Amino acid sequence: MAGHGFHVHGPHDHEVEHAAHSNDQFSSKIAVMTAIMATVGALLGYEGGATQNSAAMLKNSAAINKTEASNRWSHYQAKSNKQNLAELALLLPTIDVEKYKTEIDRYKTEKEQIKKEAEAFELRVVELEKASDAALHQHHRWAQAMTAIQIAISLAAIALLTKKKWLEYTSYTVAAAGMGIATLAWMHI
């Protein structure tokens, strides 16, 4: 143990370190592959975290746009109420008919603009939610790849401790599967 901090090592860590200092080809090969798999795993973990954050930010933007659309629709409804009141005022005796007809026309024009804005925000919400779902799917792929790499590292450690060749090959197979899943994530599949 070093002079600073607290270090906990598993049995496989000791074996990996021991293998690095011996001439045992089996152990040396697994030690190198474990180090490579750990490095790849760290990269996959980074990508998984990045896509998860991206999905969350997109979902947040969708919620903000949904609120803006709702605000626009509320504004549209307020203009509709004012237009309805102006139309009702036309029925009252001794009123300035032209004044209220002008107001009605103004409200109709303002409502059209507000409606376009609200619909644009709603379209943006749909786009952002689709992008968020795609990013979350990609995150799941990265997480699956990372899990496969972690399992491969564990299998390599068990192979190192037991000196079982079939476990070594199983470890490599699971690592290859993890890389295949990572390729799917990279390709957005």
Side-chain angles (χ1 to χ4, degrees):
M1 182 163 84
H4 303 304
F6 180 170
H7 300 284
V8 177
H9 298 285
H12 70 281
D13 293 324
H14 175 71
E15 286 295 323
V16 168
E17 187 175 327
H18 179 71
H21 298 299
S22 73
N23 287 331
D24 181 3
Q25 290 298 315
F26 179 80
S27 297
S28 295
K29 186 168 48 169
I30 291 180
V32 169
M33 288 307 297
T34 301
I36 291 169
M37 287 186 281
T39 302
V40 168
L43 294 171
L44 296 177
Y46 172 79
E47 288 297 328
T51 54
Q52 183 178 26
N53 289 339
S54 178
M57 292 301 291
L58 289 164
K59 192 61 86 172
N60 187 50
S61 293
I64 290 168
N65 277 267
K66 188 174 273 190
T67 299
E68 280 300 319
S70 178
N71 289 344
R72 294 299 194 278
W73 285 119
S74 293
H75 192 206
Y76 179 88
Q77 188 62 43
K79 293 292 181 177
S80 292
N81 290 342
K82 289 179 180 182
Q83 179 184 340
N84 292 339
L85 289 172
E87 289 169 350
L88 191 60
L90 288 176
L91 302 175
L92 298 174
T94 67
I95 57 118
D96 182 0
V97 173
E98 286 308 312
K99 173 186 170 190
Y100 287 103
K101 283 186 177 182
T102 303
E103 282 187 17
I104 291 168
D105 290 339
R106 180 173 57 92
Y107 290 135
K108 283 181 182 178
T109 302
E110 290 173 353
K111 281 174 36 182
E112 277 306 307
Q113 180 59 35
I114 295 166
K115 181 180 178 183
K116 287 178 186 176
E117 292 171 2
E119 289 171 343
F121 276 110
E122 287 178 339
L123 285 174
R124 184 73 178 133
V125 168
V126 171
E127 292 168 3
L128 288 166
E129 286 182 344
K130 283 182 183 176
S132 176
D133 291 345
L136 192 57
H137 175 73
Q138 187 182 25
H139 160 71
H140 288 144
R141 286 280 190 233
W142 289 120
Q144 292 164 348
M146 177 63 189
T147 301
I149 295 296
Q150 289 172 335
I151 292 169
I153 291 170
S154 295
L155 290 172
I158 295 168
L160 185 60
L161 293 171
T162 62
K163 305 285 189 206
K164 302 287 183 188
K165 204 74 163 146
W166 68 270
L167 274 173
E168 174 190 8
Y169 294 130
T170 302
S171 171
Y172 298 156
T173 302
V174 173
M179 292 307 297
I181 296 168
T183 302
L184 294 175
W186 181 68
M187 296 171 64
H188 298 269
I189 296 175

